[in-house]
């Protein structure tokens, strides 16, 4: 199948799932698409020999898609840039300490806690993948997925401050998560010479280089935007920034996700205020909103379709189900270790830890990293566990996070009208 034909099939499927969700399910768009295709995939698997032809065609279709390459080196550039473009840098600056501590320290604590929990749970079930693969699982599942979070948090009516905290953390912690994941991956391959200095250098190179490149590319684009007043040209410039900056950062071995986030924040704030007319801002916002919506639908479609090619083993599924509460507990402990002692300096509400725990969604980035693991005996168990946690996160947490927030932070009752 040609690349155009493959893309056409995926777009048609995403459109049909979006239509069915809008007409009948009425779920949030991304969750509805994934739920629809997930149910269809499970029905095909349950049909057995009666649907062999359809299942074989669908599995062959999914087999042509490199999920890791498609997500981490393709969709991510557009989705992160589009998400960052919408955020207010001033509001993020007011929450900088909360976002920074959660993105850096919280991710590291969670990686260790999830890894240790996975080692104990997998060993108890009889899988015994080893400590290093379990720590790799902790590294890929701990960062909250900015794509899943941005797609859902904006629709649940969360208080603005909490939305900024959760989305801000999600936009930055995946960069650190990738660094931790790559470091552990090198150690697992026998590169045991990595020390604290090596890890620090890798962190500085990945994160620092990504920030500097994002600022430089954003500044150049801002300079160009100020010298034109034609929305078609300006949209093309923002598209070039998202794609070119991400590709260049990737080739230089910087953190391409952080480059996209920093560039998006720069253009979405300074560029929007000083380099765009009202007409241009409307067209740029509409364009990137469409890009965000279409690619989110395709991404969650791919997550649902991956069920068709996953190896099914009851022990692996059981391990994944056990890792759901373990991952939530690790998130609760890692967030609580930061927020609880610093609640007053950070000015956090009492329900913040619980909301940040339940609102921490995992998504396509975790699946992509799991699929990028080298082929080994432990890979099927880790991929299945990742998939189970991601499915639970998007569907169970994604569908209930709005009600959960309203339960933790009840809205004040309106005052009754005073009778004359």
């Amino acid at each position: 199948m040609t690349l155009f034909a493959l893309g056409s099939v995926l777009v048609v499927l995403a459109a049909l799932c979006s239509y069915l969700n809008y007409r009948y399910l009425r779920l949030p768009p991304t969750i509805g698409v994934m739920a629809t295709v997930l149910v269809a995939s499970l029905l095909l698997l349950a049909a057995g020999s009666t649907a062999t032809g359809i299942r074989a065609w669908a599995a062959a279709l999914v087999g042509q898609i490199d999920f890791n390459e498609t997500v981490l080196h393709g969709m991510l550039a557009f989705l992160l840039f589009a998400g960052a473009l919408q955020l207010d840098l001033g509001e993020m600056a007011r929450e900088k300490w909360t976002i920074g501590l959660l993105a850096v320290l919280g991710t590291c604590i969670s990686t260790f806690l999830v890894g240790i929990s996975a080692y104990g749970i997998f060993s108890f079930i009889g899988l015994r993948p080893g400590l290093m693969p379990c720590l790799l699982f902790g590294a890929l599942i701990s960062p909250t997925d900015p794509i899943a979070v941005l797609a859902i948090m904006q629709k649940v009516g969360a208080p603005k401050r909490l939305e900024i905290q959760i989305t801000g953390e999600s936009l930055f912690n995946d960069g650190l998560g990738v660094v931790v994941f790559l470091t552990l991956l090198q150690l697992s391959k026998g590169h045991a010479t990595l020390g604290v200095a090596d890890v620090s250098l890798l962190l500085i190179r990945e994160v620092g280089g990504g920030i500097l490149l994002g600022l430089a590319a954003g500044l150049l684009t801002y300079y160009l935007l100020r010298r034109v007043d034609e929305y078609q040209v300006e949209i093309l410039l923002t598209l070039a920034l998202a794609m070119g900056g991400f590709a260049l950062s990737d080739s230089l071995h910087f953190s391409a996700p952080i480059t996209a986030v920093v560039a998006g924040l720069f253009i979405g704030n300074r560029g929007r205020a000083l380099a765009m007319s009202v007409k241009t801002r409307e067209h740029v916002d509409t364009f990137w909103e469409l890009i965000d919506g279409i690619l989110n639908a395709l991404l969650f479609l791919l997550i649902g379709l991956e069920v068709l090619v996953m190896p099914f083993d009851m022990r692996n599924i059981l391990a994944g189900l056990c890792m759901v509460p373990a991952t939530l507990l690790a998130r609760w402990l890692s967030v609580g270790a930061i927020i609880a002692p610093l609640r007053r300096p950070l000015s956090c509400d009492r329900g913040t830890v619980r909301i940040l725990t339940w609102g921490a969604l995992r998504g396509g980035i975790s699946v992509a990293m799991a699929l990028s693991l080298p082929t080994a005996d432990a890979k099927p168990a880790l991929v299945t566990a990742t998939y189970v946690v991601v499915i639970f996160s998007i569907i169970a947490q994604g569908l209930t996070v709005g009600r959960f927030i309203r339960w933790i932070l009840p809205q004040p009752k309106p005052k009754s009208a005073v009778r004359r």
Side-chain angles (χ1 to χ4, degrees):
M1 187 179 291
T2 65
L3 181 61
F4 180 79
L6 178 62
S8 300
V9 172
L10 293 176
V11 169
V12 169
L13 290 175
L16 289 175
C17 291
S18 298
Y19 174 80
L20 291 173
N21 175 63
Y22 178 82
R23 286 285 295 166
Y24 303 109
L25 300 180
R26 296 289 182 175
L27 298 176
T30 50
I31 298 178
V33 169
M34 193 187 74
T36 303
V37 73
L38 183 62
V39 169
S41 298
L42 292 175
L43 288 175
L44 284 175
L45 292 172
S49 58
T50 59
T52 302
I54 298 176
R55 191 169 67 247
W57 174 83
L61 175 71
V62 178
Q64 295 182 59
I65 303 168
D66 186 335
F67 197 96
N68 174 54
E69 188 69 24
T70 301
V71 176
L72 294 184
H73 301 282
M75 291 183 175
L76 201 57
F78 303 97
L79 292 166
L80 289 181
F81 185 86
L85 204 65
Q86 304 169 23
L87 296 182
D88 188 319
L89 193 57
E91 292 179 343
M92 286 191 64
R94 287 192 288 273
E95 302 295 333
K96 59 182 180 295
W97 289 111
T98 303
I99 293 172
L101 289 171
L102 289 173
V104 178
L105 188 57
T107 301
C108 293
I109 295 173
S110 178
T111 295
F112 175 77
L113 293 177
V114 173
I116 296 300
S117 300
Y119 181 74
I121 290 172
F122 283 30
S123 299
F124 179 78
I125 294 175
L127 296 172
R128 303 188 184 282
L131 180 59
M132 187 56 70
C134 290
L135 289 174
L136 279 168
F137 174 75
L140 66 88
I141 207 68
S142 290
T144 54
D145 192 319
I147 299 168
V149 170
L150 285 166
I152 293 171
M153 287 305 296
Q154 295 170 352
K155 296 177 173 61
V156 300
K160 192 63 179 179
R161 187 177 181 190
L162 275 171
E163 182 183 329
I164 291 293
Q165 289 174 350
I166 295 175
T167 54
E169 177 202 0
S170 299
L171 282 169
F172 285 102
N173 68 5
D174 66 307
L176 179 68
V178 170
V179 173
V180 174
F181 178 79
L182 292 176
T183 302
L184 292 174
L185 192 59
Q186 290 185 44
L187 289 171
S188 70
K189 293 178 180 178
H191 299 166
T193 57
L194 285 175
V196 175
D198 300 297
V199 174
S200 300
L201 183 61
L202 181 61
L203 182 63
I204 293 171
R205 178 184 177 84
E206 288 267 349
V207 179
I211 292 173
L212 290 176
L213 182 58
L215 285 173
L219 186 61
L220 174 61
T221 306
Y222 167 76
Y223 177 84
L224 298 175
L225 287 171
R226 291 200 65 174
R227 279 151 181 78
V228 294
D229 187 17
E230 173 56 53
Y231 74 87
Q232 293 177 339
V233 176
E234 294 178 80
I235 289 174
L236 191 57
L237 286 171
T238 62
L239 188 61
L241 173 61
M243 297 178 69
F246 195 94
L248 180 59
S249 183
D250 214 13
S251 66
L252 294 174
H253 303 290
F254 296 158
S255 176
I258 289 182
T259 298
V261 170
V262 171
L265 285 172
F266 188 90
I267 295 300
N269 288 268
R270 188 171 182 83
R272 184 194 300 274
L274 301 176
M276 297 182 188
S277 65
V278 174
K279 182 179 180 180
T280 295
R281 284 198 293 269
E282 292 176 354
H283 283 89
V284 167
D285 289 345
T286 301
F287 173 81
W288 282 103
E289 184 180 345
L290 286 172
I291 291 289
D292 186 54
I294 292 169
L295 290 185
N296 264 302
L298 288 172
L299 175 60
F300 284 81
L301 172 77
L302 291 176
I303 293 176
L305 286 174
E306 281 292 322
V307 170
L308 294 170
V309 295
M310 281 183 58
F312 277 88
D313 183 288
M314 287 309 301
R315 291 194 304 172
N316 294 346
I317 295 175
L318 177 60
L321 292 173
C322 292
M323 285 311 304
V324 169
T327 303
L328 286 171
L329 178 61
R331 170 70 179 178
W332 180 73
L333 291 172
S334 61
V335 172
I338 296 169
I339 299 297
L342 299 174
R343 177 174 284 118
R344 287 188 177 181
L346 296 177
S347 302
C348 293
D349 299 323
R350 288 189 175 275
T352 299
V353 174
R354 285 174 288 173
I355 292 173
L356 289 175
T357 299
W358 194 250
L361 308 181
R362 278 79 179 183
I365 294 176
S366 294
V367 175
M369 283 196 285
L371 292 173
S372 72
L373 289 168
T375 303
D377 294 338
K379 183 173 180 177
L382 297 179
V383 171
T384 303
T386 302
Y387 210 82
V388 172
V389 172
V390 167
I391 293 295
F392 176 87
S393 172
I394 294 174
I395 294 182
Q397 293 174 238
L399 286 177
T400 59
V401 66
R403 281 174 287 179
F404 185 79
I405 290 173
R406 289 189 289 272
W407 175 61
I408 297 295
L409 301 174
Q411 300 296 319
K413 295 181 179 180
K415 295 180 180 180
S416 56
V418 179
R419 295 182 179 178
R420 294 184 179 180

